[in-house]
Amino acid sequence: MNKFDSIADLVKKNNGIISSKEIAENNIETWYLTELVKKHRLERINRGVYLDPSYENYDEYFILQLKNSRCIFSYSSALYLHELTDRIPYLPEITVPRGYNASHIKDKAVVHSIRHDWYAVGQMDIKTAQGNVVKAYDAERTLCDLIRDRNNQDVEVFSKAFTLYFKSKTKDIWKLRDYAKRFAVSQKLESIQELITYE
C-alpha cells in the first residue's frame, strides 16, 4: 500500500476527515496532503484539518463546527441532536457570543447571538448521526432558549419537544428549573409543564 492509499484509508475510517497530526502519527510526510489538495482530492477546511469533498457520508454539522469553533448548535439543531424532534432543520441553527462576526456563515446557518455570560451555559459534547462529536446545548438549555424565543418557534415543534422531554428517562427537571430561573422564564416553564402534565 502506497502513502496515498494509506491516507485514503485513514480518511475513510474518519468519516471523510484527516488531520496533519494523524498523518505524522502514521509516519507519512505532510507534503502528501499538499499534493492531494492540489489535485482537488482533499480540501483544507481548517488549520491542519482536511476533508474529502467526494465523501458520501458528509457530516454538515461536524464540518461547520470545524470551520467555526465558536459556534454551538442550538434551537432546532440541538433538538434534532437530542432526538426531541424528527424534523431535520433546513439550515443548522447555531449560537455565538455577542460581537462575534458571523457574516461569513449567514448563508450556511441560522445564527443567534447571546450575551457572553450566557454563551457557555449548558454546552456539551454530543454525537451526530455520522458519529462525530460536536458542541451543542444540552436539552434543558435548549428548551429554555425555545421559551425565550417562543414567538418565533413552530407551535408543533415546540409542543412536541417539551412532550418528548418530559417523557424522557434522561430528563433533569432540577437542571431545567435552574436554567429557567437563570434565563428568567420560570413562570412560563411552569405553565408549559402544567399544560403537558394534564393533557
Side-chain angles (χ1 to χ4, degrees), residues 10-57:
L10 287 168
V11 168
K12 189 176 180 181
K13 285 178 183 174
N14 292 341
N15 293 324
I17 303 287
I18 190 74
S19 70
S20 51
K21 182 183 176 186
E22 287 170 294
I23 290 293
E25 286 171 353
N26 284 274
N27 299 314
I28 302 171
E29 296 83 0
T30 53
W31 68 262
Y32 282 95
L33 289 175
T34 307
E35 197 62 27
L36 289 168
V37 170
K38 282 181 185 174
K39 293 178 178 178
H40 305 290
R41 287 172 58 191
L42 286 179
E43 176 189 336
R44 184 180 181 273
I45 57 171
N46 205 334
R47 190 174 182 177
V49 183
Y50 301 81
L51 164 75
D52 177 354
S54 67
Y55 191 71
E56 291 178 6
N57 203 15

mmCIF file of all heavy atoms in Angstrom, residues 10-57:
data_model
loop_
_atom_site.group_PDB
_atom_site.id
_atom_site.type_symbol
_atom_site.label_atom_id
_atom_site.label_comp_id
_atom_site.label_asym_id
_atom_site.label_seq_id
_atom_site.Cartn_x
_atom_site.Cartn_y
_atom_site.Cartn_z
ATOM 1 N N LEU A 10 -7.226 6.160 5.900
ATOM 2 C CA LEU A 10 -7.451 6.944 7.121
ATOM 3 C C LEU A 10 -8.658 7.866 6.977
ATOM 4 O O LEU A 10 -9.459 8.012 7.898
ATOM 5 C CB LEU A 10 -6.201 7.780 7.451
ATOM 6 C CG LEU A 10 -4.993 7.020 7.986
ATOM 7 C CD1 LEU A 10 -3.756 7.910 7.975
ATOM 8 C CD2 LEU A 10 -5.259 6.514 9.401
ATOM 9 N N VAL A 11 -8.797 8.471 5.800
ATOM 10 C CA VAL A 11 -9.931 9.364 5.518
ATOM 11 C C VAL A 11 -11.242 8.591 5.637
ATOM 12 O O VAL A 11 -12.207 9.067 6.238
ATOM 13 C CB VAL A 11 -9.799 10.008 4.117
ATOM 14 C CG1 VAL A 11 -11.091 10.684 3.700
ATOM 15 C CG2 VAL A 11 -8.652 11.009 4.102
ATOM 16 N N LYS A 12 -11.257 7.385 5.086
ATOM 17 C CA LYS A 12 -12.467 6.555 5.138
ATOM 18 C C LYS A 12 -12.828 6.199 6.583
ATOM 19 O O LYS A 12 -13.995 6.252 6.980
ATOM 20 C CB LYS A 12 -12.245 5.283 4.313
ATOM 21 C CG LYS A 12 -13.502 4.456 4.120
ATOM 22 C CD LYS A 12 -13.225 3.268 3.214
ATOM 23 C CE LYS A 12 -14.500 2.439 3.017
ATOM 24 N NZ LYS A 12 -14.249 1.261 2.164
ATOM 25 N N LYS A 13 -11.832 5.865 7.386
ATOM 26 C CA LYS A 13 -12.060 5.499 8.792
ATOM 27 C C LYS A 13 -12.553 6.694 9.610
ATOM 28 O O LYS A 13 -13.241 6.528 10.613
ATOM 29 C CB LYS A 13 -10.766 4.963 9.411
ATOM 30 C CG LYS A 13 -10.413 3.556 8.973
ATOM 31 C CD LYS A 13 -9.097 3.109 9.585
ATOM 32 C CE LYS A 13 -8.697 1.722 9.090
ATOM 33 N NZ LYS A 13 -7.353 1.341 9.563
ATOM 34 N N ASN A 14 -12.177 7.903 9.182
ATOM 35 C CA ASN A 14 -12.512 9.128 9.930
ATOM 36 C C ASN A 14 -13.704 9.881 9.354
ATOM 37 O O ASN A 14 -13.814 11.092 9.534
ATOM 38 C CB ASN A 14 -11.306 10.080 9.959
ATOM 39 C CG ASN A 14 -10.173 9.539 10.795
ATOM 40 O OD1 ASN A 14 -10.353 8.662 11.617
ATOM 41 N ND2 ASN A 14 -8.987 10.073 10.566
ATOM 42 N N ASN A 15 -14.598 9.188 8.659
ATOM 43 C CA ASN A 15 -15.787 9.841 8.083
ATOM 44 C C ASN A 15 -15.445 11.010 7.163
ATOM 45 O O ASN A 15 -16.072 12.061 7.205
ATOM 46 C CB ASN A 15 -16.729 10.320 9.197
ATOM 47 C CG ASN A 15 -17.353 9.179 9.957
ATOM 48 O OD1 ASN A 15 -17.666 8.147 9.385
ATOM 49 N ND2 ASN A 15 -17.520 9.346 11.256
ATOM 50 N N GLY A 16 -14.430 10.814 6.323
ATOM 51 C CA GLY A 16 -14.098 11.812 5.317
ATOM 52 C C GLY A 16 -13.143 12.899 5.752
ATOM 53 O O GLY A 16 -12.880 13.838 5.010
ATOM 54 N N ILE A 17 -12.601 12.778 6.987
ATOM 55 C CA ILE A 17 -11.729 13.815 7.548
ATOM 56 C C ILE A 17 -10.343 13.248 7.817
ATOM 57 O O ILE A 17 -10.194 12.083 8.181
ATOM 58 C CB ILE A 17 -12.305 14.339 8.890
ATOM 59 C CG1 ILE A 17 -13.712 14.880 8.700
ATOM 60 C CG2 ILE A 17 -11.409 15.393 9.518
ATOM 61 C CD1 ILE A 17 -13.797 16.192 7.986
ATOM 62 N N ILE A 18 -9.321 14.088 7.657
ATOM 63 C CA ILE A 18 -7.951 13.702 8.025
ATOM 64 C C ILE A 18 -7.239 14.937 8.579
ATOM 65 O O ILE A 18 -7.499 16.055 8.140
ATOM 66 C CB ILE A 18 -7.181 13.102 6.814
ATOM 67 C CG1 ILE A 18 -5.847 12.483 7.245
ATOM 68 C CG2 ILE A 18 -6.960 14.138 5.736
ATOM 69 C CD1 ILE A 18 -5.967 11.190 7.970
ATOM 70 N N SER A 19 -6.373 14.721 9.545
ATOM 71 C CA SER A 19 -5.608 15.845 10.108
ATOM 72 C C SER A 19 -4.127 15.615 9.861
ATOM 73 O O SER A 19 -3.668 14.480 9.718
ATOM 74 C CB SER A 19 -5.868 15.979 11.616
ATOM 75 O OG SER A 19 -5.288 14.904 12.322
ATOM 76 N N SER A 20 -3.368 16.701 9.833
ATOM 77 C CA SER A 20 -1.919 16.589 9.630
ATOM 78 C C SER A 20 -1.275 15.848 10.806
ATOM 79 O O SER A 20 -0.265 15.172 10.657
ATOM 80 C CB SER A 20 -1.285 17.972 9.449
ATOM 81 O OG SER A 20 -1.684 18.844 10.482
ATOM 82 N N LYS A 21 -1.899 15.936 11.991
ATOM 83 C CA LYS A 21 -1.402 15.221 13.168
ATOM 84 C C LYS A 21 -1.477 13.712 12.949
ATOM 85 O O LYS A 21 -0.534 12.974 13.245
ATOM 86 C CB LYS A 21 -2.232 15.614 14.398
ATOM 87 C CG LYS A 21 -1.766 14.966 15.685
ATOM 88 C CD LYS A 21 -2.670 15.350 16.843
ATOM 89 C CE LYS A 21 -2.259 14.617 18.115
ATOM 90 N NZ LYS A 21 -3.188 14.861 19.227
ATOM 91 N N GLU A 22 -2.619 13.246 12.404
ATOM 92 C CA GLU A 22 -2.773 11.811 12.125
ATOM 93 C C GLU A 22 -1.785 11.347 11.065
ATOM 94 O O GLU A 22 -1.266 10.232 11.134
ATOM 95 C CB GLU A 22 -4.201 11.516 11.661
ATOM 96 C CG GLU A 22 -5.231 11.585 12.768
ATOM 97 C CD GLU A 22 -6.638 11.525 12.210
ATOM 98 O OE1 GLU A 22 -7.042 12.468 11.515
ATOM 99 O OE2 GLU A 22 -7.316 10.518 12.469
ATOM 100 N N ILE A 23 -1.542 12.215 10.104
ATOM 101 C CA ILE A 23 -0.584 11.891 9.045
ATOM 102 C C ILE A 23 0.800 11.656 9.655
ATOM 103 O O ILE A 23 1.468 10.669 9.358
ATOM 104 C CB ILE A 23 -0.521 13.050 8.005
ATOM 105 C CG1 ILE A 23 -1.813 13.119 7.204
ATOM 106 C CG2 ILE A 23 0.678 12.900 7.070
ATOM 107 C CD1 ILE A 23 -2.062 11.955 6.288
ATOM 108 N N ALA A 24 1.206 12.573 10.541
ATOM 109 C CA ALA A 24 2.516 12.458 11.200
ATOM 110 C C ALA A 24 2.582 11.202 12.068
ATOM 111 O O ALA A 24 3.611 10.515 12.092
ATOM 112 C CB ALA A 24 2.782 13.707 12.042
ATOM 113 N N GLU A 25 1.481 10.908 12.774
ATOM 114 C CA GLU A 25 1.445 9.720 13.642
ATOM 115 C C GLU A 25 1.578 8.426 12.854
ATOM 116 O O GLU A 25 1.987 7.408 13.402
ATOM 117 C CB GLU A 25 0.142 9.706 14.452
ATOM 118 C CG GLU A 25 0.112 10.728 15.581
ATOM 119 C CD GLU A 25 -1.254 10.845 16.240
ATOM 120 O OE1 GLU A 25 -2.232 10.233 15.733
ATOM 121 O OE2 GLU A 25 -1.349 11.576 17.243
ATOM 122 N N ASN A 26 1.211 8.474 11.574
ATOM 123 C CA ASN A 26 1.319 7.298 10.707
ATOM 124 C C ASN A 26 2.564 7.335 9.821
ATOM 125 O O ASN A 26 2.645 6.619 8.821
ATOM 126 C CB ASN A 26 0.057 7.168 9.846
ATOM 127 C CG ASN A 26 -1.119 6.636 10.644
ATOM 128 O OD1 ASN A 26 -1.291 5.432 10.779
ATOM 129 N ND2 ASN A 26 -1.917 7.537 11.203
ATOM 130 N N ASN A 27 3.528 8.179 10.226
ATOM 131 C CA ASN A 27 4.823 8.290 9.529
ATOM 132 C C ASN A 27 4.682 8.609 8.038
ATOM 133 O O ASN A 27 5.364 8.044 7.186
ATOM 134 C CB ASN A 27 5.648 7.000 9.710
ATOM 135 C CG ASN A 27 5.955 6.735 11.168
ATOM 136 O OD1 ASN A 27 6.361 7.638 11.899
ATOM 137 N ND2 ASN A 27 5.745 5.507 11.605
ATOM 138 N N ILE A 28 3.728 9.515 7.738
ATOM 139 C CA ILE A 28 3.542 9.963 6.362
ATOM 140 C C ILE A 28 3.915 11.448 6.303
ATOM 141 O O ILE A 28 3.487 12.236 7.154
ATOM 142 C CB ILE A 28 2.074 9.774 5.900
ATOM 143 C CG1 ILE A 28 1.665 8.298 6.016
ATOM 144 C CG2 ILE A 28 1.879 10.273 4.474
ATOM 145 C CD1 ILE A 28 0.187 8.029 5.788
ATOM 146 N N GLU A 29 4.715 11.820 5.338
ATOM 147 C CA GLU A 29 5.147 13.213 5.214
ATOM 148 C C GLU A 29 3.954 14.103 4.832
ATOM 149 O O GLU A 29 3.102 13.712 4.028
ATOM 150 C CB GLU A 29 6.259 13.347 4.154
ATOM 151 C CG GLU A 29 7.542 12.613 4.505
ATOM 152 C CD GLU A 29 7.498 11.127 4.131
ATOM 153 O OE1 GLU A 29 6.464 10.663 3.605
ATOM 154 O OE2 GLU A 29 8.500 10.440 4.397
ATOM 155 N N THR A 30 3.910 15.315 5.387
ATOM 156 C CA THR A 30 2.761 16.200 5.176
ATOM 157 C C THR A 30 2.652 16.723 3.740
ATOM 158 O O THR A 30 1.587 17.194 3.341
ATOM 159 C CB THR A 30 2.802 17.404 6.141
ATOM 160 O OG1 THR A 30 4.069 18.048 6.023
ATOM 161 C CG2 THR A 30 2.587 16.962 7.576
ATOM 162 N N TRP A 31 3.717 16.615 2.974
ATOM 163 C CA TRP A 31 3.632 17.107 1.586
ATOM 164 C C TRP A 31 2.618 16.297 0.767
ATOM 165 O O TRP A 31 2.093 16.779 -0.234
ATOM 166 C CB TRP A 31 5.002 17.136 0.893
ATOM 167 C CG TRP A 31 5.637 15.811 0.598
ATOM 168 C CD1 TRP A 31 6.576 15.176 1.326
ATOM 169 C CD2 TRP A 31 5.380 14.966 -0.537
ATOM 170 N NE1 TRP A 31 6.920 13.975 0.743
ATOM 171 C CE2 TRP A 31 6.198 13.826 -0.411
ATOM 172 C CE3 TRP A 31 4.536 15.051 -1.645
ATOM 173 C CZ2 TRP A 31 6.204 12.787 -1.328
ATOM 174 C CZ3 TRP A 31 4.540 14.010 -2.569
ATOM 175 C CH2 TRP A 31 5.365 12.901 -2.416
ATOM 176 N N TYR A 32 2.331 15.063 1.227
ATOM 177 C CA TYR A 32 1.306 14.263 0.555
ATOM 178 C C TYR A 32 -0.054 14.961 0.626
ATOM 179 O O TYR A 32 -0.833 14.921 -0.324
ATOM 180 C CB TYR A 32 1.201 12.867 1.190
ATOM 181 C CG TYR A 32 2.289 11.909 0.756
ATOM 182 C CD1 TYR A 32 3.443 11.743 1.512
ATOM 183 C CD2 TYR A 32 2.159 11.157 -0.414
ATOM 184 C CE1 TYR A 32 4.444 10.869 1.125
ATOM 185 C CE2 TYR A 32 3.158 10.271 -0.813
ATOM 186 C CZ TYR A 32 4.305 10.136 -0.044
ATOM 187 O OH TYR A 32 5.289 9.274 -0.444
ATOM 188 N N LEU A 33 -0.339 15.598 1.765
ATOM 189 C CA LEU A 33 -1.589 16.348 1.908
ATOM 190 C C LEU A 33 -1.635 17.509 0.922
ATOM 191 O O LEU A 33 -2.654 17.751 0.275
ATOM 192 C CB LEU A 33 -1.729 16.886 3.340
ATOM 193 C CG LEU A 33 -2.006 15.858 4.447
ATOM 194 C CD1 LEU A 33 -1.982 16.535 5.806
ATOM 195 C CD2 LEU A 33 -3.351 15.174 4.228
ATOM 196 N N THR A 34 -0.524 18.230 0.829
ATOM 197 C CA THR A 34 -0.437 19.364 -0.102
ATOM 198 C C THR A 34 -0.706 18.900 -1.532
ATOM 199 O O THR A 34 -1.424 19.553 -2.287
ATOM 200 C CB THR A 34 0.964 20.019 -0.019
ATOM 201 O OG1 THR A 34 1.246 20.332 1.340
ATOM 202 C CG2 THR A 34 1.031 21.283 -0.862
ATOM 203 N N GLU A 35 -0.153 17.758 -1.866
ATOM 204 C CA GLU A 35 -0.322 17.200 -3.211
ATOM 205 C C GLU A 35 -1.786 16.839 -3.469
ATOM 206 O O GLU A 35 -2.328 17.100 -4.551
ATOM 207 C CB GLU A 35 0.574 15.954 -3.359
ATOM 208 C CG GLU A 35 0.818 15.518 -4.786
ATOM 209 C CD GLU A 35 1.551 16.562 -5.632
ATOM 210 O OE1 GLU A 35 2.315 17.376 -5.070
ATOM 211 O OE2 GLU A 35 1.322 16.557 -6.856
ATOM 212 N N LEU A 36 -2.436 16.253 -2.465
ATOM 213 C CA LEU A 36 -3.843 15.874 -2.613
ATOM 214 C C LEU A 36 -4.754 17.096 -2.711
ATOM 215 O O LEU A 36 -5.769 17.068 -3.409
ATOM 216 C CB LEU A 36 -4.275 14.980 -1.440
ATOM 217 C CG LEU A 36 -3.682 13.562 -1.462
ATOM 218 C CD1 LEU A 36 -3.922 12.854 -0.130
ATOM 219 C CD2 LEU A 36 -4.269 12.739 -2.608
ATOM 220 N N VAL A 37 -4.402 18.183 -2.020
ATOM 221 C CA VAL A 37 -5.159 19.439 -2.122
ATOM 222 C C VAL A 37 -5.015 20.007 -3.533
ATOM 223 O O VAL A 37 -5.988 20.447 -4.144
ATOM 224 C CB VAL A 37 -4.699 20.461 -1.058
ATOM 225 C CG1 VAL A 37 -5.316 21.830 -1.328
ATOM 226 C CG2 VAL A 37 -5.077 19.980 0.335
ATOM 227 N N LYS A 38 -3.793 19.982 -4.071
ATOM 228 C CA LYS A 38 -3.542 20.468 -5.435
ATOM 229 C C LYS A 38 -4.354 19.694 -6.465
ATOM 230 O O LYS A 38 -4.830 20.245 -7.450
ATOM 231 C CB LYS A 38 -2.049 20.333 -5.777
ATOM 232 C CG LYS A 38 -1.164 21.406 -5.182
ATOM 233 C CD LYS A 38 0.278 21.182 -5.608
ATOM 234 C CE LYS A 38 1.217 22.159 -4.934
ATOM 235 N NZ LYS A 38 2.640 21.855 -5.249
ATOM 236 N N LYS A 39 -4.518 18.396 -6.219
ATOM 237 C CA LYS A 39 -5.268 17.538 -7.146
ATOM 238 C C LYS A 39 -6.770 17.555 -6.858
ATOM 239 O O LYS A 39 -7.534 16.817 -7.477
ATOM 240 C CB LYS A 39 -4.758 16.097 -7.043
ATOM 241 C CG LYS A 39 -3.324 15.912 -7.556
ATOM 242 C CD LYS A 39 -2.888 14.469 -7.366
ATOM 243 C CE LYS A 39 -1.474 14.265 -7.914
ATOM 244 N NZ LYS A 39 -0.996 12.883 -7.711
ATOM 245 N N HIS A 40 -7.185 18.406 -5.899
ATOM 246 C CA HIS A 40 -8.604 18.560 -5.507
ATOM 247 C C HIS A 40 -9.212 17.279 -4.943
ATOM 248 O O HIS A 40 -10.423 17.075 -5.000
ATOM 249 C CB HIS A 40 -9.453 19.067 -6.682
ATOM 250 C CG HIS A 40 -8.939 20.334 -7.273
ATOM 251 N ND1 HIS A 40 -9.003 21.544 -6.621
ATOM 252 C CD2 HIS A 40 -8.309 20.573 -8.452
ATOM 253 C CE1 HIS A 40 -8.465 22.482 -7.381
ATOM 254 N NE2 HIS A 40 -8.021 21.924 -8.497
ATOM 255 N N ARG A 41 -8.358 16.413 -4.409
ATOM 256 C CA ARG A 41 -8.857 15.196 -3.763
ATOM 257 C C ARG A 41 -9.092 15.423 -2.271
ATOM 258 O O ARG A 41 -9.810 14.661 -1.628
ATOM 259 C CB ARG A 41 -7.878 14.041 -3.999
ATOM 260 C CG ARG A 41 -7.944 13.536 -5.454
ATOM 261 C CD ARG A 41 -6.855 12.533 -5.768
ATOM 262 N NE ARG A 41 -6.894 11.373 -4.886
ATOM 263 C CZ ARG A 41 -5.902 10.471 -4.842
ATOM 264 N NH1 ARG A 41 -4.831 10.611 -5.613
ATOM 265 N NH2 ARG A 41 -5.981 9.443 -4.017
ATOM 266 N N LEU A 42 -8.496 16.473 -1.743
ATOM 267 C CA LEU A 42 -8.746 16.905 -0.371
ATOM 268 C C LEU A 42 -8.956 18.412 -0.362
ATOM 269 O O LEU A 42 -8.428 19.123 -1.220
ATOM 270 C CB LEU A 42 -7.575 16.566 0.562
ATOM 271 C CG LEU A 42 -7.369 15.109 0.991
ATOM 272 C CD1 LEU A 42 -6.148 15.005 1.890
ATOM 273 C CD2 LEU A 42 -8.583 14.542 1.695
ATOM 274 N N GLU A 43 -9.740 18.883 0.617
ATOM 275 C CA GLU A 43 -9.990 20.318 0.771
ATOM 276 C C GLU A 43 -9.576 20.717 2.183
ATOM 277 O O GLU A 43 -9.963 20.074 3.158
ATOM 278 C CB GLU A 43 -11.485 20.591 0.569
ATOM 279 C CG GLU A 43 -11.897 22.021 0.800
ATOM 280 C CD GLU A 43 -13.411 22.171 0.795
ATOM 281 O OE1 GLU A 43 -14.108 21.320 0.193
ATOM 282 O OE2 GLU A 43 -13.899 23.127 1.410
ATOM 283 N N ARG A 44 -8.757 21.760 2.291
ATOM 284 C CA ARG A 44 -8.338 22.234 3.620
ATOM 285 C C ARG A 44 -9.489 23.025 4.223
ATOM 286 O O ARG A 44 -9.922 24.030 3.664
ATOM 287 C CB ARG A 44 -7.098 23.132 3.502
ATOM 288 C CG ARG A 44 -6.530 23.590 4.827
ATOM 289 C CD ARG A 44 -5.288 24.469 4.594
ATOM 290 N NE ARG A 44 -4.691 24.913 5.829
ATOM 291 C CZ ARG A 44 -5.048 26.009 6.498
ATOM 292 N NH1 ARG A 44 -6.041 26.759 6.034
ATOM 293 N NH2 ARG A 44 -4.441 26.342 7.625
ATOM 294 N N ILE A 45 -10.005 22.566 5.369
ATOM 295 C CA ILE A 45 -11.156 23.245 5.964
ATOM 296 C C ILE A 45 -10.806 23.989 7.248
ATOM 297 O O ILE A 45 -11.596 24.795 7.741
ATOM 298 C CB ILE A 45 -12.321 22.266 6.232
ATOM 299 C CG1 ILE A 45 -11.877 21.124 7.137
ATOM 300 C CG2 ILE A 45 -12.899 21.747 4.939
ATOM 301 C CD1 ILE A 45 -13.019 20.259 7.603
ATOM 302 N N ASN A 46 -9.648 23.713 7.789
ATOM 303 C CA ASN A 46 -9.175 24.424 8.969
ATOM 304 C C ASN A 46 -7.690 24.135 9.078
ATOM 305 O O ASN A 46 -7.157 23.295 8.360
ATOM 306 C CB ASN A 46 -9.921 23.960 10.230
ATOM 307 C CG ASN A 46 -9.928 25.007 11.331
ATOM 308 O OD1 ASN A 46 -9.044 25.854 11.391
ATOM 309 N ND2 ASN A 46 -10.927 24.961 12.187
ATOM 310 N N ARG A 47 -7.046 24.819 10.004
ATOM 311 C CA ARG A 47 -5.604 24.614 10.162
ATOM 312 C C ARG A 47 -5.320 23.147 10.511
ATOM 313 O O ARG A 47 -5.760 22.652 11.540
ATOM 314 C CB ARG A 47 -5.098 25.524 11.276
ATOM 315 C CG ARG A 47 -3.605 25.593 11.371
ATOM 316 C CD ARG A 47 -3.223 26.631 12.401
ATOM 317 N NE ARG A 47 -1.795 26.771 12.497
ATOM 318 C CZ ARG A 47 -1.200 27.642 13.275
ATOM 319 N NH1 ARG A 47 -1.910 28.465 14.019
ATOM 320 N NH2 ARG A 47 0.113 27.725 13.332
ATOM 321 N N GLY A 48 -4.640 22.460 9.619
ATOM 322 C CA GLY A 48 -4.262 21.073 9.866
ATOM 323 C C GLY A 48 -5.382 20.066 9.700
ATOM 324 O O GLY A 48 -5.222 18.892 10.043
ATOM 325 N N VAL A 49 -6.542 20.495 9.175
ATOM 326 C CA VAL A 49 -7.686 19.589 9.017
ATOM 327 C C VAL A 49 -8.141 19.599 7.556
ATOM 328 O O VAL A 49 -8.326 20.665 6.959
ATOM 329 C CB VAL A 49 -8.866 19.997 9.929
ATOM 330 C CG1 VAL A 49 -10.012 18.989 9.784
ATOM 331 C CG2 VAL A 49 -8.433 20.079 11.387
ATOM 332 N N TYR A 50 -8.342 18.401 6.997
ATOM 333 C CA TYR A 50 -8.676 18.260 5.584
ATOM 334 C C TYR A 50 -9.897 17.361 5.404
ATOM 335 O O TYR A 50 -10.131 16.441 6.179
ATOM 336 C CB TYR A 50 -7.484 17.676 4.817
ATOM 337 C CG TYR A 50 -6.245 18.539 4.917
ATOM 338 C CD1 TYR A 50 -5.422 18.464 6.040
ATOM 339 C CD2 TYR A 50 -5.917 19.446 3.923
ATOM 340 C CE1 TYR A 50 -4.291 19.265 6.151
ATOM 341 C CE2 TYR A 50 -4.786 20.259 4.020
ATOM 342 C CZ TYR A 50 -3.984 20.162 5.143
ATOM 343 O OH TYR A 50 -2.874 20.967 5.264
ATOM 344 N N LEU A 51 -10.652 17.649 4.337
ATOM 345 C CA LEU A 51 -11.878 16.920 4.033
ATOM 346 C C LEU A 51 -11.813 16.351 2.623
ATOM 347 O O LEU A 51 -11.327 16.999 1.700
ATOM 348 C CB LEU A 51 -13.075 17.881 4.137
ATOM 349 C CG LEU A 51 -14.401 17.448 3.519
ATOM 350 C CD1 LEU A 51 -15.060 16.394 4.398
ATOM 351 C CD2 LEU A 51 -15.337 18.630 3.345
ATOM 352 N N ASP A 52 -12.324 15.137 2.472
ATOM 353 C CA ASP A 52 -12.502 14.556 1.144
ATOM 354 C C ASP A 52 -13.844 15.068 0.613
ATOM 355 O O ASP A 52 -14.894 14.653 1.096
ATOM 356 C CB ASP A 52 -12.515 13.029 1.237
ATOM 357 C CG ASP A 52 -12.762 12.357 -0.113
ATOM 358 O OD1 ASP A 52 -13.037 13.074 -1.099
ATOM 359 O OD2 ASP A 52 -12.691 11.121 -0.163
ATOM 360 N N PRO A 53 -13.849 16.012 -0.349
ATOM 361 C CA PRO A 53 -15.101 16.617 -0.817
ATOM 362 C C PRO A 53 -16.045 15.639 -1.514
ATOM 363 O O PRO A 53 -17.228 15.921 -1.671
ATOM 364 C CB PRO A 53 -14.632 17.710 -1.781
ATOM 365 C CG PRO A 53 -13.261 17.307 -2.203
ATOM 366 C CD PRO A 53 -12.681 16.529 -1.056
ATOM 367 N N SER A 54 -15.536 14.480 -1.919
ATOM 368 C CA SER A 54 -16.381 13.497 -2.595
ATOM 369 C C SER A 54 -16.962 12.471 -1.618
ATOM 370 O O SER A 54 -17.678 11.569 -2.022
ATOM 371 C CB SER A 54 -15.570 12.761 -3.673
ATOM 372 O OG SER A 54 -14.556 11.963 -3.075
ATOM 373 N N TYR A 55 -16.642 12.624 -0.335
ATOM 374 C CA TYR A 55 -17.097 11.638 0.646
ATOM 375 C C TYR A 55 -18.615 11.639 0.734
ATOM 376 O O TYR A 55 -19.241 12.694 0.876
ATOM 377 C CB TYR A 55 -16.482 11.948 2.023
ATOM 378 C CG TYR A 55 -16.683 10.844 3.027
ATOM 379 C CD1 TYR A 55 -16.001 9.644 2.908
ATOM 380 C CD2 TYR A 55 -17.571 10.999 4.090
ATOM 381 C CE1 TYR A 55 -16.183 8.613 3.824
ATOM 382 C CE2 TYR A 55 -17.758 9.970 5.010
ATOM 383 C CZ TYR A 55 -17.059 8.789 4.879
ATOM 384 O OH TYR A 55 -17.255 7.778 5.781
ATOM 385 N N GLU A 56 -19.233 10.461 0.618
ATOM 386 C CA GLU A 56 -20.693 10.357 0.531
ATOM 387 C C GLU A 56 -21.408 10.677 1.839
ATOM 388 O O GLU A 56 -22.483 11.252 1.840
ATOM 389 C CB GLU A 56 -21.080 8.939 0.068
ATOM 390 C CG GLU A 56 -20.705 8.662 -1.370
ATOM 391 C CD GLU A 56 -21.051 7.244 -1.802
ATOM 392 O OE1 GLU A 56 -21.680 6.526 -1.007
ATOM 393 O OE2 GLU A 56 -20.687 6.874 -2.919
ATOM 394 N N ASN A 57 -20.816 10.313 2.969
ATOM 395 C CA ASN A 57 -21.469 10.490 4.262
ATOM 396 C C ASN A 57 -21.048 11.821 4.893
ATOM 397 O O ASN A 57 -20.577 11.880 6.024
ATOM 398 C CB ASN A 57 -21.114 9.315 5.188
ATOM 399 C CG ASN A 57 -22.138 9.116 6.273
ATOM 400 O OD1 ASN A 57 -23.239 9.643 6.205
ATOM 401 N ND2 ASN A 57 -21.784 8.362 7.282
#
